[in-house]
Amino acid sequence: MALYVHKYGGTSMGSVERIQNVARRVAKWHQAGHQVVVVPSAMSGETNRLLGMAREIQKNPDPRELDMLASTGEQVSVALLSMALQELGVAARSYAGWQVPIRTDSAFNKARIQSIDDARVRADLDANKVVIITGFQGVDDQNNITTLGRGGSDTSAVAVAAAMGAVECLIYTDVDGVYTTDPRVVPEARRMNVISFEEMLEMASLGSKVLQIRSVEFAGRYRMPTRVLSSLTDPTGSLAEEMASGTLITFEEDEKMETAAVSGIAFSRDEAKLTLLAVPDKPGIAHSILGPIAAANIDVDVIVQNQSVAGTTDFSFTVNRAEYNRAVEVLTKEVQPAVGAREVVTDDKVCKVSIVGIGMRSHVGIASLMFQTLSQEGINIQMISTSEIKTSVIIADKYMELAVRALHKAFGLDQPGGSL
Ligand code: ADP
Ligand code: ASP
Ligand code: MG
């Protein structure tokens, strides 16, 4: 008997009818003789609704209380799904994260899973029950409820699958797999049958919200086969077809993958840029600027320091837009007076567009085609960052969709058979 973990996202759980469809699908797997653990998200819009109410009451809500609140969305989902399964004659049992327990650290709102005790879950599975566990949440060693960050149910599912040695973790969502880019932005985007773990990790970290980055990290660490597939197909359709559908994250790279220079395009609007103009250029300058930023717990992404002219230089970096206001404050109040920069210039209307592909290792001229394509569209590149399998640019965010569409075409991603 093989164990599978299913994860269903917010849209898939979005109404009573959809929950009943999820139950039909799970029942089909169970009746085929498989053990199934289901990890659902809150119904779509619910987490936003809860967080919105919190912000109406407190401008900067207490992180612990936010987790107490946000975790309730998933508790509703597991109970309703369990009832829907029981109605179909399938024995089912739901658990909140703390009941399993799924142990995390105490970093409220962005907790990390540390361990999962699977004894209760196993006993239920052995008694032929379907087990349903809340996504997105856990419990710390003081018994406080924690949550794993937005999109965290993906991570709960992969972590449960890894802890229990499941055959595969299936991430059911509102698209039928991982595409060359977000199909809502580029209708010509194509679904990939497989994507390498490394590419998926880059895509997720560069903004493709189809999987939370930590879920991909877990999949990599435990080599957990993970598949992204549609929850919106006929739930009573062929099981064999469903098992082979969607996009599988693979850990083996084959030659076919290497032949495509670029596999996908990721983008993120969650960016903001800060620049210090005319900073005296001397050793230690990067440290005196970024030290206070790090001390304020703000993550820095792309960094550029210009050639110095007449003993001064300009220094720019990007941060997540959610941390922009705090970063501006640290720069103007602490850093500028300390380093003697002439001016602080900031811009929260920027975005990051990235091309990703393991084939970039063996192809030259890929970045240059990217820059040429953007220049043909009249898009100014403000910053560039590269690694072995990706090139990212920071541009004005009003050009984001134009840039993504132009690059998707330039790299031939809309053509069957892949990129250049
Ligand atoms: P869920 O609620 O199921 O977790 P999400 O909204 O978190 O769903 O993720 C699915 C969404 O991810 C899709 O609707 C799609 O718009 C978006 N997305 C972004 N990039 C990609 C991509 N490369 N391939 C597929 N979907 C993508
Ligand atoms: N409900 C949570 C969120 O909206 C977790 C998830 O959906 O993965 O972020
Ligand atoms: Mg999601």
Side-chain angles (χ1 to χ4, degrees), residues 7-12 41 151 154 171-175 177-184 192 203 207-211 265 267:
K7 181 259 172 177
Y8 292 90
T11 314
S12 318
S41 293
D154 298 331
I171 309 280
Y172 288 90
T173 183
D174 56 4
V175 280
V178 180
Y179 278 68
T180 45
T181 192
D182 189 339
R184 290 181 211 284
M192 299 178 237
M203 292 281 280
S208 294
K209 297 207 164 103
V210 60
L211 285 178
I265 298 177
F267 50 84

Side-chain angles (χ1 to χ4, degrees), residues 59-234:
K59 194 160 163 257
N60 288 311
D62 176 352
R64 180 188 180 279
E65 303 310 325
L66 266 185
D67 281 358
M68 220 30 208
L69 177 72
S71 59
T72 61
E74 272 70 13
Q75 194 168 327
V76 171
S77 288
V78 292
L80 291 176
L81 181 56
S82 183
M83 292 173 199
L85 278 161
Q86 290 174 18
E87 267 307 287
L88 296 177
V90 177
R93 191 131 215 239
S94 70
Y95 292 105
W98 64 268
Q99 292 175 304
V100 174
I102 295 178
R103 293 258 169 230
T104 71
D105 62 19
S106 302
F108 295 116
N109 312 166
K110 51 177 178 196
R112 283 182 181 268
I113 294 178
Q114 289 176 330
S115 66
I116 296 176
D117 180 350
D118 65 359
R120 257 177 118 164
V121 178
R122 280 222 192 270
D124 287 333
L125 291 174
D126 291 344
N128 204 27
K129 290 188 180 118
V130 169
V131 178
I132 309 158
I133 303 174
T134 49
F136 181 53
Q137 60 174 267
V139 62
D140 75 0
D141 59 6
Q142 305 289 307
N143 286 344
N144 296 301
I145 290 177
T146 55
T147 68
L148 311 180
R150 299 307 304 267
S153 298
D154 298 331
T155 303
S156 308
V158 179
V160 167
M164 301 199 58
V167 173
E168 199 170 289
C169 182
L170 296 108
I171 309 280
Y172 288 90
T173 183
D174 56 4
V175 280
D176 62 355
V178 180
Y179 278 68
T180 45
T181 192
D182 189 339
R184 290 181 211 284
V185 171
V186 182
E188 296 79 25
R190 287 179 314 104
R191 184 178 59 79
M192 299 178 237
N193 288 327
V194 289
I195 182 168
S196 74
F197 158 70
E198 281 174 288
E199 287 172 331
M200 192 64 242
L201 195 63
E202 286 285 6
M203 292 281 280
S205 83
L206 295 167
S208 294
K209 297 207 164 103
V210 60
L211 285 178
Q212 199 200 35
I213 171 106
R214 283 187 190 164
S215 71
V216 188
E217 288 168 359
F218 260 105
R221 191 172 324 141
Y222 298 99
R223 294 211 148 218
M224 173 46 58
T226 300
R227 184 182 298 274
V228 176
L229 70 173
S230 174
S231 70
L232 304 177
T233 56
D234 174 7

